[in-house]
């Protein structure tokens, strides 16, 4: 492997200093003169017709300046991608508890509160759908906008359908020596970014608008604003302040909030800010989708996997958001990283009135990984084969052909991950020991140990879902610093540091020379949405291409200075060396470029390699490459209370070259922590459409006491299409964590939990204690 | 009402309503926005400050309760020249910062612990920050940063 100067070496995050000092500016920290505060009145019914809105009394309250509804936007503020089914404020119907209906701007919080109380919104309750398994029943209420016999999708409550097709699994299954058939389910998950959503719109004197928004994709935000405000693109500028975490969760709701403050700012001619309280954030924001998965697996007696047949149902809730893409990703990953003679996957995505679902780290893969990795363990038990051996026997290897018909490259490193995680975790000794302990009847209250494994593959970037490219710019400043921009934003993931290191390595310049301004639609290049772990490969390659272009310009200038050909220039550190001359410093080369009128700036763009997917055939090349990984969890289960302690955790991921190790470990540990929450405690419960937990006192996320020290390792098999051989790793830590933990619980107790989360009662009793739900928390939270 | 407190080693006086939280007083009336609001119900620790040296959630403390007492916020942790102190530097070096929203509270929790227990074990560090939620890091690098600071402070003391 080549020796790099900056890549893979210790480095500090470029934005850490302002964050430790407390001077980093998040959206709530902006206070501008004359600023109004805004709030949104939201539906307290899961499905309702909006009969009448009367804001006259609210507007008479001293200090209340303006109020808006869907009527105040072009085309009622309709937006949404890939399906345009949302509004900036609900139009005609509210489809979930928390759907925004009216936004108000006022001078003070107390005036705002009085206005909220005085506003008249008459809702007529409509029949609703809460059980995804009945969403497609002909008798169910229609939540979508199109009739059930519409051409194309969505059709009735069916938002979309996806399939993967290889061979005839029904036939194969009938001839398999060992088969497994089981049903798994996952629930919604809240992103729980520590910073709630917020936006600030500032009207400029020329009629244009500047919007500061704590969002993931400033360019998508601007595109939506342009559409619903009827302004030309050049008149809307979106700036992303420091974002306090997103994990996929700061898109659609953030676009609504941005449009609301923008419209209020336009109407009042004053800056307008809205920050959501935690309760409102939890009620109004989208979640990870809930899924139900029916899995059939079949294998030879020797453990060779032969067939899988999977049917999955996805609850998209009231709107589409990006769920068609996450559900497609679910379909592609549902069979896990294994070889099969035959495989069918069918996925139905449906509308309900359970809030709504959208992007969340893992992007559809966390759900199906839980199901298939649980099923693999159940199958291993039936076969009497060690769970890691079974995975090794069947896992995808370099140059294999996947169930989708895709021939893989030489970057596949799953077997290495499984071998290494087995060694690190002490599996060989622990697994047989804990298995034999579990075979004895428990003494009530006894503590039982267990160990579990899970593997994953995860398609890099958007895949056949969308056009995939990123762009960047680089410019040498008068003071010899360099400004680097990327349209892919950093909301805490460290991608700005990754890009800086790539630019520094490519140009042979010190990373400290580079500045990366905050993403701003006026200065950065549009690079599409910052989702689906796109940053490292897409943004990294765009940065590399941009830096290579600038490097050529610099070599050209140096060649002119030395009167030689650019190809003769040799680089040493920051020095440029020509044939037989004194080396020239970077500064000297820059000065010379200026003298000869050579502009030192570059613009680069990188498009992902060709991919293709046939929706009809259920075959193709869905992603240009995959990340692979394997994790092992060790647990201690209290058989008296059902309490599970995760006491050890090992993770080995095939990341390609690691560019920013500190950031890579941070992504890994942070992802695992969220996966641990998903496994054991995080439960978004919709009861009749009402969220049961609306703040951190009831929605529990892991604390420092819930997570053990994690041992992580990377298999750095270089990936030829990645920048310096790197793959993405932003999402993947989370994905296998839950099944590894639940498999460990099964190993400890001998009891299989097929529904997440594995909370106390499920571990102890194997079922839920039915609690009466209530609408109180939501109603209080929206008051 | 008029509030007077010893804030980051400076006596400050400010006019503000009588019924607000210390968090609101700091952010909206004293313009110290390093202290964050994550939940406003005392569950996340993003609003942590030191009140007479003790770690508190400022969203749960009435501003009036802080009157005439000593308050240290994240803005008061750095060295006199504005550069980061050793714990803040360790947060940078060990990757304890991602989105940074929990960071001010975490640093104050770390300082409160090290003042009380200069050589904590990793478990004691985890206990001390258990009231501070972090959704990004999985806590491990935060524990590393606090542990390393305790070791380097011990070494410095040994040399002094
Ligand atoms: S804001 Fe005070 S504890 Fe969360
Ligand atoms: S760094 Fe984001 S919450 Fe801790």
């Amino acid at each position: 492997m080549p020796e790099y100067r900056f890549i893979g070496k210790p480095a500090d995050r470029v934005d850490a200093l302002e964050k430790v000092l407390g001077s980093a500016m998040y959206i709530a920290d902006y206070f501008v003169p004359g600023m109004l505060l805004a709030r949104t009145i939201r539906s307290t019914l899961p499905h309702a017709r909006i009969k009448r809105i009367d804001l006259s009394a609210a507007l008479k309250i001293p200090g209340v300046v303006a109020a808006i509804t869907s009527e105040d936007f072009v085309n009622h503020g309709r937006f949404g991608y890939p399906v345009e089914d949302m509004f900036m404020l609900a139009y005609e119907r509210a489809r979930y508890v928390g759907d925004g209906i009216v936004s108000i701007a006022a001078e003070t919080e107390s005036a705002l509160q009085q206005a909220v109380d005085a506003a008249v919104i008459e809702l007529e309750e409509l029949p609703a759908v809460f059980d995804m398994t009945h969403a497609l029943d002909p008798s169910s209420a229609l939540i979508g906008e199109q009739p059930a016999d519409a051409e194309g999708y969505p059709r009735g409550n069916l938002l979309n359908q996806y399939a993967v097709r290889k061979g005839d699994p029904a036939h194969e299954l009938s001839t398999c020596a060992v088969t497994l058939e089981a049903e798994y389910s996952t629930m919604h998950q809240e992103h729980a970014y520590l910073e709630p959503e917020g936006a600030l719109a500032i009207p400029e004197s020329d009629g244009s608008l500047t919007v500061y928004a704590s969002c993931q994709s400033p360019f998508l935000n601007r595109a939506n604003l342009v559409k619903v405000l009827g302004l030309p693109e050049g008149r809307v500028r979106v700036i992303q302040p420091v974002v306090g975490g997103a994990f996929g969760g700061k898109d659609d709701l953030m676009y609504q909030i941005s449009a609301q403050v923008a419209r209020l700012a336009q109407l009042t001619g004053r800056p307008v800010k809205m920050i959501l309280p935690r309760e409102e954030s939890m009620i109004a924001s989208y979640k990870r989708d809930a899924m139900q998965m029916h899995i059939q697996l079949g294998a030879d007696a020797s453990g060779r996997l032969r067939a899988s047949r999977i049917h999955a149902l996805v609850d998209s809730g009231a709107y589409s958001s990006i769920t068609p893409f996450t559900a497609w990703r679910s379909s592609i990953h549902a069979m896990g990283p294994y070889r099969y003679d035959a495989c069918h996957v069918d996925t139905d995505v449906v509308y309900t009135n359970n809030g709504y679902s959208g992007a969340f780290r893992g992007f559809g893969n966390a759900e199906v990984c839980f199901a298939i990795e649980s099923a693999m363990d159940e199958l291993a038990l039936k076969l009497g084969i060690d769970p890691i051996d079974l995975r090794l026997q069947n896992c995808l290897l370099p140059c294999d052909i996947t169930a989708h018909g895709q021939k893989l490259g030489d970057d596949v490193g799953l077997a290495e991950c499984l071998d290494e995680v087995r060694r690190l975790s002490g599996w060989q000794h622990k697994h047989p020991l804990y298995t034999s302990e579990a075979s004895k009847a428990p003494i009530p209250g006894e503590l039982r140990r267990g160990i579990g494994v899970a593997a994953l593959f995860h398609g890099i970037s958007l895949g056949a879902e969308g056009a995939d490219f990123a762009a960047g710019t680089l410019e040498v400043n008068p003071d010899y610093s360099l400004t680097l921009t990327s349209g892919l934003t950093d909301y805490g993931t460290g991608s700005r540091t990754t890009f800086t290191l790539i630019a520094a390595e490519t140009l042979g310049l010190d990373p400290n020379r580079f500045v990366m301004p905050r993403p701003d639609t006026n200065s950065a290049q549009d690079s599409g949405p910052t989702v689906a772990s796109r940053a490292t490969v897409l943004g990294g390659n765009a940065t590399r291409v941009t830096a290579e272009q600038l490097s050529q310009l610099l070599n050209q200038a140096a060649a002119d200075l030395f009167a030689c050909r650019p190809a003769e220039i040799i680089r040493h550190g920051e020095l440029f060396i020509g044939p037989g001359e004194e080396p020239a410093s970077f500064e000297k080369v820059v000065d010379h470029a200026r003298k000869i009128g050579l502009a030192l700036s570059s613009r680069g763009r990188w498009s992902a390699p060709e991919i293709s997917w046939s929706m009809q055939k259920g075959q193709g090349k869905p992603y240009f490459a995959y990340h692979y990984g394997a994790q092992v969890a060790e647990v201690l289960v209290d058989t008296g209370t059902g309490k599970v302690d995760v006491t050890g955790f090992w993770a080995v991921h095939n990341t390609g070259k690691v560019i920013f190790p500190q950031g890579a470990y941070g992504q890994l540990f942070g992802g695992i922590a969220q996966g641990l929450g998903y496994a054991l405690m995080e439960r978004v419960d919709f009861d009749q459409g009402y969220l049961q937990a609306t703040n951190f006192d009831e929605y529990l996320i892991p604390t420092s006491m819930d997570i053990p020290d994690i041992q992580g390792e990377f298999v750095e098999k270089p990936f030829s299409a990645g920048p310096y051989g790197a793959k993405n790793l932003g999402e993947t830590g989370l994905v296998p964590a839950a099944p590894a933990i639940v498999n460990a619980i099964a190993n400890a107790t001998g009891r299989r939990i097929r529904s997440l989360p594995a909370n106390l009662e499920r571990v102890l009793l194997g079922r839920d204690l039915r609690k009466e739900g209530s609408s109180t928390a939501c109603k209080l939270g929206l008051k | 009402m008029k509030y007077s407190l010893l804030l980051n080693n400076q006596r400050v006086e400010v006019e503000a309503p009588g019924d607000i939280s210390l968090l609101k007083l700091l952010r909206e009336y004293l313009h110290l926005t390093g202290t964050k609001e994550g939940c406003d119900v005392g569950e996340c620790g993003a609003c942590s400050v030191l009140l007479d040296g003790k770690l508190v959630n400022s969203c749960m403390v009435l501003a009036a309760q802080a009157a005439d007492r000593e308050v240290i916020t994240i803005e008061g942790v750095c060295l006199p020249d504005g550069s980061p102190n050793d714990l803040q530097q360790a947060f940078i070096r060990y990757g304890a910062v991602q989105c940074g929203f929990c960071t001010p509270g975490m640093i104050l929790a770390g300082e409160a612990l090290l003042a009380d227990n200069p050589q904590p074990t990793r478990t004691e560090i985890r206990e001390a920050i258990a009231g501070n939620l972090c959704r990004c890091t999985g806590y491990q690098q935060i524990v590393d940063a606090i542990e390393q600071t305790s070791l380097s402070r011990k070494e410095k003391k040994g040399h002094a």
Side-chain angles (χ1 to χ4, degrees), chain A residues 421-446:
Chain A
V421 83
R422 160 142 66 188
R423 191 187 65 77
L424 281 179
S425 62
W427 175 278
Q428 219 58 333
H429 157 73
K430 290 174 183 168
H431 188 260
L433 178 66
Y434 301 167
T435 308
S436 79
E437 284 174 0
S439 63
K440 297 178 202 121
I443 307 156
E446 186 192 349

Side-chain angles (χ1 to χ4, degrees), chain A residues 267-312:
Chain A
L267 289 174
T268 59
R270 291 172 62 179
V272 179
K273 176 164 105 169
M274 185 186 309
I275 305 292
L276 300 200
R278 176 62 58 184
E279 289 80 4
E280 187 179 352
S281 163
M282 283 212 184
I283 296 166
S285 69
Y286 58 88
K287 312 285 180 246
R288 183 192 301 287
D289 57 20
M291 282 184 73
Q292 295 199 356
M293 292 151 281
H294 184 91
I295 296 189
Q296 288 172 276
L297 286 179
D300 286 346
S302 68
R304 189 180 73 85
L305 273 178
R306 287 181 49 202
S308 58
R309 194 152 83 156
I310 299 165
H311 183 264

Side-chain angles (χ1 to χ4, degrees), chain A residues 181-348:
Chain A
E181 181 162 5
E183 180 93 25
Y184 303 90
S185 69
T186 63
M187 68 298 154
H188 296 92
Q189 186 182 19
E190 159 67 32
H191 302 80
Y193 23 74
L194 217 55
E195 175 208 37
E197 299 80 355
L200 162 67
I202 302 177
E204 309 290 347
S205 51
D206 63 354
S208 66
L209 275 173
T210 302
V211 179
Y212 292 82
S214 173
C215 67
Q216 294 188 183
S217 308
F219 285 95
L220 277 184
N221 199 351
R222 182 180 65 175
N224 284 321
L225 288 170
V226 162
K227 187 156 63 180
V228 302
L229 298 176
L231 286 175
E233 204 167 85
R235 306 229 127 190
V236 184
R237 175 180 186 186
V238 177
I239 299 175
Q240 185 201 53
V242 182
V243 177
F247 319 116
K250 285 183 176 166
D251 280 323
D252 308 75
L253 176 61
M254 269 310 306
Y255 304 148
Q256 291 176 317
I257 293 171
S258 299
Q260 290 158 17
V261 291
R263 189 71 188 117
L264 287 166
Q266 263 187 322
L267 289 174
T268 59
R270 291 172 62 179
V272 179
K273 176 164 105 169
M274 185 186 309
I275 305 292
L276 300 200
R278 176 62 58 184
E279 289 80 4
E280 187 179 352
S281 163
M282 283 212 184
I283 296 166
S285 69
Y286 58 88
K287 312 285 180 246
R288 183 192 301 287
D289 57 20
M291 282 184 73
Q292 295 199 356
M293 292 151 281
H294 184 91
I295 296 189
Q296 288 172 276
L297 286 179
D300 286 346
S302 68
R304 189 180 73 85
L305 273 178
R306 287 181 49 202
S308 58
R309 194 152 83 156
I310 299 165
H311 183 264
L313 190 60
V314 178
D315 184 356
S316 183
Y319 295 102
S320 149
S321 181
I322 209 148
T323 305
F325 285 180
T326 64
W328 181 76
R329 184 175 281 264
S330 297
S331 307
I332 300 298
H333 292 81
M335 75 298 292
Y338 306 107
R339 289 182 304 267
Y340 298 95
D341 296 334
C343 166
H344 279 193
V345 180
D346 287 278
T347 304
D348 294 333

Side-chain angles (χ1 to χ4, degrees), chain A residues 142-202:
Chain A
L142 181 65
I143 314 305
E145 294 182 298
Q146 305 196 129
D149 55 0
E151 293 234 342
Y153 299 101
R155 109 177 22 135
N157 289 336
L158 181 63
L159 180 50
N160 221 320
Q161 282 181 308
Y162 303 106
V164 177
R165 291 280 177 268
K166 177 184 182 183
D168 182 357
H171 172 74
E172 294 282 336
L173 285 164
S174 68
T175 62
C176 282
V178 179
T179 59
L180 174 91
E181 181 162 5
E183 180 93 25
Y184 303 90
S185 69
T186 63
M187 68 298 154
H188 296 92
Q189 186 182 19
E190 159 67 32
H191 302 80
Y193 23 74
L194 217 55
E195 175 208 37
E197 299 80 355
L200 162 67
I202 302 177

Side-chain angles (χ1 to χ4, degrees), chain A residues 471-552:
Chain A
T473 68
L474 251 173
E475 190 173 349
V476 182
N477 301 318
D479 64 352
Y480 308 104
S481 67
L482 293 95
T483 301
L484 171 65
T485 75
S486 161
L488 288 176
T489 60
D490 188 340
Y491 36 88
T493 56
S495 52
R496 289 168 87 212
T497 311
T498 300
F499 298 159
T500 301
L501 295 174
I502 289 172
E505 188 74 49
T506 309
L507 282 159
L509 297 172
D510 194 296
N512 291 321
R513 283 193 189 267
F514 293 83
V515 277
M516 267 202 90
R518 299 231 62 81
D520 177 339
T521 54
N522 270 23
S523 54
Q525 298 283 302
D526 187 2
S527 294
T530 311
V531 296
S533 289
R534 301 177 71 228
T536 306
V537 173
L538 272 283
N541 269 322
T543 304
R544 181 182 50 81
V545 169
T546 312
E548 278 166 1
Q549 286 174 13
L550 185 65
S551 179
Q552 280 174 16

Side-chain angles (χ1 to χ4, degrees), chain A residues 131-144:
Chain A
D131 180 351
M132 66 170 123
T133 59
H134 289 297
L136 300 178
D137 293 356
S139 59
S140 283
L142 181 65
I143 314 305

Side-chain angles (χ1 to χ4, degrees), chain B residues 8-28:
Chain B
N8 298 330
N9 298 318
Q10 269 181 348
R11 168 88 25 214
V12 296
E13 301 207 334
V14 62
E15 191 69 45
D19 59 350
I20 60 170
S21 67
L22 176 58
L23 174 62
K24 209 176 173 95
L25 184 77
L26 291 169
R27 288 184 52 84
E28 291 177 25

